[in-house]
Amino acid sequence: MMEHVNLRKLVYSSGSIVFFGGAGTSTESGIPDFRSAGGLYEQRTSKVYEPEEILSRDFFHAHPADFYSFYRTHMVYPQARPNPAHLKLADLEQEGRLKAVITQNIDGLHQLAGSVNVLELHGSVHRNRCLDCGISHPLSAVIGDSRPVPLCGECGGIIKPDVVLYQENLDFDLLERAAVHIQQADTLIVAGTSLTVQPAAGLVGLFRGDNLVLINRDATPMDGYATHLIRGSIGEVMAAL
């Protein structure tokens, strides 16, 4: 409880907060993470392929039906709703304290909670485009299409989610914007991420402000650099603010 009190004082004395979040930010909304014990990468969801192989660029192009079978089942959660962490971050942005949310998640829950300046490093399930004509499609075009592979209603081309797959690069301009926000922040709150995925995790190393807050259930490589280290639920911690 003392940690929560200290964090509350810190947050409300800060004028430029940036939040950097990973999969753990959304687990309390019913979306499983990847790398923790019992996470998606530890589950054998296919008898033939590993999840990392399925979620790769080459696999998508070679086996789109198998990709979408996995993707629709394990990566898309249209019924998920923002949890207290998402809602509190939106409040802090509205108050002018939080300048940006930088997320590794693709679920769109920050925007659903009301956050505006959201930098989605790995893309979003809510943005999709036809590989042939380039037209954009909503998530409903992917999950509402009964065919094994969703096809464009305009030209019949294959629709690809705007999510960063293995073998694909992150958007350089987006990374640059994220880096600038982190460098200009006086408080950086990092939550729900193992900080093992590059290059996104390397962004945290750019922080030069006074307060590095780490909220995570498990240890991370950056724990020794934190000014405030809190073990626990991101939703409970943020709700306590």
Side-chain angles (χ1 to χ4, degrees):
M1 182 60 70
M2 184 59 66
E3 291 174 332
H4 295 180
V5 172
N6 291 338
L7 181 59
R8 185 184 304 118
K9 292 179 180 178
L10 172 63
V11 165
Y12 287 101
S13 64
S14 299
S16 182
I17 302 170
V18 169
F19 178 83
F20 184 97
T25 309
S26 294
T27 52
E28 291 164 60
S29 294
I31 299 178
D33 65 3
F34 295 85
R35 290 175 170 79
S36 68
L40 183 60
Y41 284 178
E42 284 194 0
Q43 301 176 25
R44 285 305 305 238
T45 54
S46 168
K47 295 181 179 179
V48 181
Y49 307 108
E50 296 290 342
E52 293 95 329
E53 183 180 2
I54 297 173
L55 296 174
S56 68
R57 180 192 59 204
D58 288 351
F59 190 91
F60 174 84
H61 289 289
H63 310 283
D66 289 330
F67 170 90
Y68 268 111
S69 176
F70 179 90
Y71 179 81
R72 285 163 164 162
T73 303
H74 299 288
M75 304 296 292
V76 180
Y77 295 85
Q79 305 306 318
R81 291 295 176 263
N83 63 53
H86 298 107
L87 297 172
K88 187 60 186 178
L89 290 167
D91 289 343
L92 290 173
E93 183 184 28
Q94 189 171 19
E95 293 170 6
R97 302 180 187 279
L98 183 73
K99 304 305 181 183
V101 168
I102 303 169
T103 180
Q104 296 170 279
N105 296 338
I106 59 175
D107 50 50
L109 291 181
H110 285 292
Q111 291 93 330
L112 190 58
S115 290
V116 176
N117 191 23
V118 181
L119 282 66
E120 297 171 304
L121 298 180
H122 295 161
S124 172
V125 299
H126 295 281
R127 296 190 300 271
N128 307 272
R129 67 178 181 86
C130 173
L131 292 178
D132 288 345
C133 71
I135 193 172
S136 296
H137 294 273
L139 177 59
S140 58
V142 170
I143 61 177
D145 194 325
S146 60
R147 292 168 291 195
V149 178
L151 302 177
C152 176
E154 295 293 325
C155 75
I158 294 176
I159 297 174
K160 181 183 182 296
D162 181 20
V163 298
V164 180
L165 302 176
Y166 290 104
Q167 301 171 329
E168 293 182 332
N169 295 321
L170 273 67
D171 184 283
F172 180 77
D173 291 338
L174 195 63
L175 283 172
E176 285 277 288
R177 288 170 53 201
V180 170
H181 278 298
I182 288 175
Q183 290 168 332
Q184 294 178 345
D186 58 21
T187 296
L188 177 62
I189 301 175
V190 182
T193 172
S194 62
L195 291 178
T196 58
V197 178
Q198 298 294 347
L203 290 169
V204 176
L206 300 175
F207 179 63
R208 295 294 180 266
D210 296 326
N211 308 298
L212 175 58
V213 181
L214 289 184
I215 308 170
N216 206 45
R217 294 186 183 277
D218 303 313
T220 78
M222 295 294 291
D223 286 1
Y225 300 94
T227 55
H228 295 72
L229 181 61
I230 302 177
R231 291 274 182 260
S233 155
I234 172 64
E236 292 176 4
V237 172
M238 297 302 290
L241 298 180

